[in-house]
Amino acid sequence: MPNVIAFRPRSATESLRRPRILIRAAREGQSGWRRDRDLRRLLRLDHTPAPGAALPRLRAEEALQNDARLQRAADYDMHRHVLLMIAILAEMRAAVADAPVPVRAGARIGAAMLAQVGLAISAPGTASPAHP
């Protein structure tokens, strides 16, 4: 028997557990979000990446901000944290809307339907439990 414990890797789609006020601020900021302008500025990029491609970087930077928040670090930037959360929510919606729709016999699901599903997933009180 090997002496190695295998852990399942954390999913990139695993829900974020953040303070309600932070999520509320991020949702309110969705109306003013302009992907081409704001994503490039936030990540300091020359070109806007494909929808969903920036999610790993956004989540990594948001995790750093969240750690600083939890540690009450002096360099914690609440404004950047909210902007990162706005970007994560917007990129998740953009990735769902841009995803190719699998065609099954007798089933037609459009991008609008997928976007509604993405909105329902991010609605308050619908956090999914972590999978073991």
Side-chain angles (χ1 to χ4, degrees), residues 5-120:
I5 300 173
F7 293 98
R8 287 177 45 175
R10 292 180 71 178
S11 170
T13 60
E14 188 174 311
S15 63
L16 297 173
R17 313 264 304 143
R18 300 297 182 257
R20 184 177 298 185
I21 190 82
L22 179 63
I23 300 300
R24 186 174 174 191
R27 283 194 184 123
E28 291 295 323
Q30 295 293 302
S31 62
W33 179 259
R34 299 294 173 260
R35 187 174 188 276
D36 289 334
R37 176 193 67 196
D38 298 329
L39 187 62
R40 287 188 322 193
R41 182 184 53 177
L42 182 63
L43 297 179
R44 297 173 187 94
L45 300 172
D46 292 332
H47 303 286
T48 306
L55 271 172
R57 181 172 169 193
L58 288 168
R59 290 192 67 157
E61 288 192 31
E62 190 278 332
L64 292 173
Q65 286 295 319
N66 193 55
D67 289 342
R69 176 186 68 84
L70 291 173
Q71 295 173 2
R72 299 177 186 263
D75 62 344
Y76 172 64
D77 186 356
M78 184 185 344
H79 182 256
R80 182 161 180 81
H81 198 177
V82 171
L83 285 175
L84 287 165
M85 290 302 299
I86 291 169
I88 288 170
L89 293 178
E91 281 299 292
M92 288 172 61
R93 286 190 179 101
V96 167
D98 195 52
V101 179
V103 178
R104 295 183 294 165
R108 292 183 177 229
I109 301 174
M113 178 82 163
L114 287 173
Q116 288 176 348
V117 170
L119 290 173

Side-chain angles (χ1 to χ4, degrees), residues 1-5:
M1 178 185 283
N3 193 13
V4 176
I5 300 173

